[in-house]
Amino acid sequence: MNIDPVKALDGKVERLKKELKSLETRIDHAQTDAAHHQLSQANQLKDNTRKLTKTNDRVTELAESVHRLERLLVALNRKVRASETQKADFDDWPEIDEAQLAKIHKGQEAYARRVFTPQEAKDTRKAIAEYDRRALEAIDAAEALTHLPPSAETLWRKNYQQWRSITDQERPDAPDDDTHAKDTVAKTAGNEAIGHVRQLIRARIEDAVARDLLFPAWFENMLGPAAPPGKADDWLYTATDVVLYRLLHGITSPADALGPAPQDEGHRKTLHNRLTGECADYRRP
Amino acid sequence: MAADPFARLADRQQSLRTALRALKAAGPGSPDFRSLLATTNAEVEAVVQARRDVEAARLTSPNRMIAIATTAAALIVAVGWFDAWSLLSLLVAVATAASVLVDPAGRRVFEPRARTTAICAALLATLLTPLASGWATLITAAGIAWWAWRTLK
C-alpha cells in the first residue's frame, strides 16, 4: 500500500497518460480506416466511369455496324428482287403529251409573272406619252436640218442635239390590259393539266406499290424503299410530285431523282427545295 | 453621188426628208418605228457629215492662210520684240498654227469652224504679244479651249 500521497498522485498521472496515449492511437487508427474507405470508393467510381465510357464506345460501334448492315440489306434486298421481280416504270409516260406539259409550264409562268399595278401602268403610260412628245420634237428638229443653210452652225448644233436625245432612248412597252385575263386563263388551264397528270402518275405509283414492283433506282434513292408507316398518303403525294418534277423539267438521270439544284430563284427552285426536304424526312429511319 | 459638197448636202437633205416622211407616217407607236428611227438616224448623220464637208471645203484655205499669217507674225514678233516671257505666247501660237496647217478642217462634225476660232485667237494673241507679252497666251488658250469644247461636246 502506498502511503505517500505524492507518489500515489504520480502513479495516477502515469496511468492517465498511458490511457491518453492509447486513446490517441485508437483515434489515429479510426481516421486512417476512414481515409482508406473513401479512397477505395473513389477508385471504384473511377473504374465504373471508365467501364461506362468503354460501353458507350462499343454501343456506337455497334450502331454503325448495324447501320452498315441495314444498308447492305437494302441493297441486297433490291438485288434479290431485281432478279425475280417486275420493275416499275416511272420514266416513260406516253399518256402524258407535250401539250399538257406546255400548259403546266404556261400556268407556272403565269403564276410567276409580275402583275402591273394600276400606278405602274399609269407611270408607264406617262413615260410613253413623254417619249412620243419628244420623238415628235426630234422629228421636227430633224426636219429643220433638211433646209438649214450650212453656215448656221448654232442651229445645226441645237437641232442635231435634239435629234440625238431621242435616238439613244427606248420607248417603254405599253402595259397590256389583256395580260391579266390571259394569265387567268393560263393558270386555270395549268391547274387542270396538273390535276390530270397528277392523277395518272399517282395511279401508276399506287399500282406499282400494290403489285410490289421494284421501283426505279432514283425513286428508291429519293423516297426510300416504301412509304413510312402511317404516312402513305403524304408519301404518295410527294412521290407524285417528284415524278412530275422529272417530267416537267426533263430530268432523265437514272440515279439522281431531281437533278442538279436550279440556280435561278422561282417556282422550280422552291419545288426542288420542298421535295428535297420532304424526301429526307421519308428516308429517315 | 454628186462630187460637189454643196450638191451632196442637198442630196442628203432630200433623202433625209424622205426618211422623215416615212417616220412621221409610222408614228412612235408603230411596231417598225424602231427600225425607221435607225434608218432616219443614219440619214441625219449623213446630212450632218455632208454639212461638215461643206464647211471644210469653205474653211480649209482661210484656216490655212490664217495659220501661215500667225506663223509669220510670230517670227516677226519674236525677232522685233524679243522677250523670254513673250516667247511662251509665241510658241503656243505657233504650235496651234502648226496643227491647223497640218489638218485645217479636222475630222469631227463641228470641227472646221472651231479650228477657225482657235487659229484666229492664236493670230490675235501673236499680234497682241508686244503689248501683253506672256499674258497673250491666255487668248490662245481660250481659243484652244473653245475648239476642244465645240469639238467634243
Side-chain angles (χ1 to χ4, degrees):
Chain A
M1 187 69 201
N2 215 336
I3 44 166
D4 184 2
V6 178
K7 243 186 188 167
L9 215 58
D10 268 353
K12 225 172 199 172
V13 167
E14 205 66 30
R15 243 191 352 265
L16 279 174
K17 259 187 192 164
K18 255 183 212 158
E19 266 172 26
L20 192 68
K21 206 170 259 173
S22 83
L23 269 176
E24 268 177 359
T25 325
R26 276 170 66 185
I27 285 173
D28 271 356
H29 272 297
Q31 267 177 351
T32 323
D33 276 357
H36 269 293
H37 193 64
Q38 238 171 12
L39 201 65
S40 75
Q41 258 182 350
N43 276 346
Q44 244 172 16
L45 208 64
K46 229 182 256 172
D47 245 25
N48 281 345
T49 317
R50 208 174 299 137
K51 268 184 203 155
L52 210 62
T53 319
K54 251 188 214 160
T55 318
N56 265 349
D57 287 352
R58 184 96 185 97
V59 166
T60 316
E61 256 170 47
L62 278 174
E64 266 169 24
S65 128
V66 164
H67 192 64
R68 267 202 301 277
L69 271 177
E70 194 181 26
R71 288 182 51 187
L72 209 65
L73 200 65
V74 169
L76 209 62
N77 175 32
R78 206 183 145 73
K79 289 238 159 82
V80 169
R81 288 177 64 205
S83 56
E84 55 195 34
T85 319
Q86 259 190 306
K87 287 173 189 155
D89 180 15
F90 295 155
D91 288 312
D92 300 315
W93 298 90
E95 63 268 45
I96 298 171
D97 52 357
E98 288 298 316
Q100 268 174 324
L101 293 184
K103 260 189 214 165
I104 296 176
H105 272 302
K106 283 230 177 78
Q108 286 180 348
E109 274 166 29
Y111 273 112
R113 211 184 334 268
R114 220 171 53 88
V115 194
F116 261 120
T117 63
Q119 184 59 43
E120 277 170 336
K122 210 169 140 194
D123 287 347
T124 316
R125 281 205 193 87
K126 218 184 256 173
I128 290 173
E130 171 70 11
Y131 178 92
D132 289 357
R133 191 183 61 73
R134 290 188 40 198
L136 290 180
E137 272 178 17
I139 289 173
D140 283 347
E143 238 169 10
L145 292 184
T146 61
H147 49 66
L148 276 181
S151 53
E153 183 161 310
T154 319
L155 283 176
W156 276 89
R157 287 180 80 88
K158 196 181 130 224
N159 287 320
Y160 182 54
Q161 263 166 17
Q162 188 145 30
W163 170 257
R164 290 287 296 272
S165 72
I166 200 70
T167 50
D168 48 5
Q169 278 192 353
E170 286 274 353
R171 189 174 193 262
D173 287 328
D176 191 358
D177 294 327
D178 268 1
T179 312
H180 187 67
K182 267 190 248 158
D183 274 2
T184 316
V185 173
K187 281 178 196 171
T188 317
N191 286 345
E192 274 170 15
I194 280 193
H196 181 63
V197 170
R198 200 191 275 281
Q199 230 171 9
L200 291 173
I201 295 173
R202 188 171 166 128
R204 204 191 274 190
I205 296 175
E206 275 176 342
D207 178 58
V209 172
R211 285 163 54 202
D212 251 342
L213 299 186
L214 184 68
F215 297 135
W218 56 262
F219 190 91
E220 245 184 73
N221 232 344
M222 195 70 193
L223 289 140
K231 283 193 203 160
D233 192 53
D234 294 346
W235 182 81
L236 272 172
Y237 190 86
T238 311
T240 312
D241 269 353
V242 169
V243 176
L244 184 60
Y245 181 94
R246 277 174 73 87
L247 260 178
L248 274 179
H249 301 114
I251 290 157
T252 49
S253 162
D256 190 2
L258 298 180
Q263 298 295 317
D264 309 329
E265 293 295 328
H267 181 261
R268 184 176 170 183
K269 188 167 186 178
T270 322
L271 186 62
H272 188 280
N273 291 346
R274 200 199 92 206
L275 291 178
T276 314
E278 281 180 12
C279 291
D281 277 350
Y282 293 133
R283 286 197 305 268
R284 199 171 295 151
Chain B
M1 188 182 288
D4 175 28
F6 281 98
R8 200 157 61 213
L9 175 60
D11 218 34
R12 290 293 187 198
Q13 283 180 320
Q14 185 55 43
S15 47
L16 173 60
R17 228 166 274 150
T18 318
L20 276 172
R21 212 167 294 141
L23 188 67
K24 250 188 168 175
S30 75
D32 48 355
F33 182 73
R34 216 50 244 170
S35 60
L36 281 174
L37 192 69
T39 322
T40 315
N41 190 37
E43 289 294 341
V44 167
E45 295 293 341
V47 164
V48 172
Q49 201 59 39
R51 191 206 76 97
R52 189 216 81 99
D53 292 345
V54 169
E55 286 276 284
R58 199 164 65 84
L59 291 174
T60 297
S61 29
N63 279 4
R64 208 168 261 155
M65 299 310 274
I66 300 170
I68 291 169
T70 308
T71 317
L75 267 175
I76 293 166
V77 172
V79 174
W81 288 266
F82 183 80
D83 173 19
W85 172 222
S86 306
L87 221 51
L88 174 69
S89 161
L90 297 178
L91 280 177
V92 174
V94 167
T96 314
S99 77
V100 170
L101 264 180
V102 169
D103 186 356
R107 213 157 291 166
R108 306 294 190 99
V109 173
F110 293 107
E111 204 166 353
R113 195 168 288 195
R115 283 189 181 235
T116 310
T117 316
I119 196 60
C120 285
L123 180 61
L124 185 68
T126 311
L127 295 178
L128 285 179
T129 300
L131 298 176
S133 62
W135 297 111
T137 317
L138 291 177
I139 302 173
T140 321
I144 292 172
W146 175 262
W147 170 15
W149 181 59
R150 296 297 270 188
T151 305
L152 297 178
K153 209 181 93 178

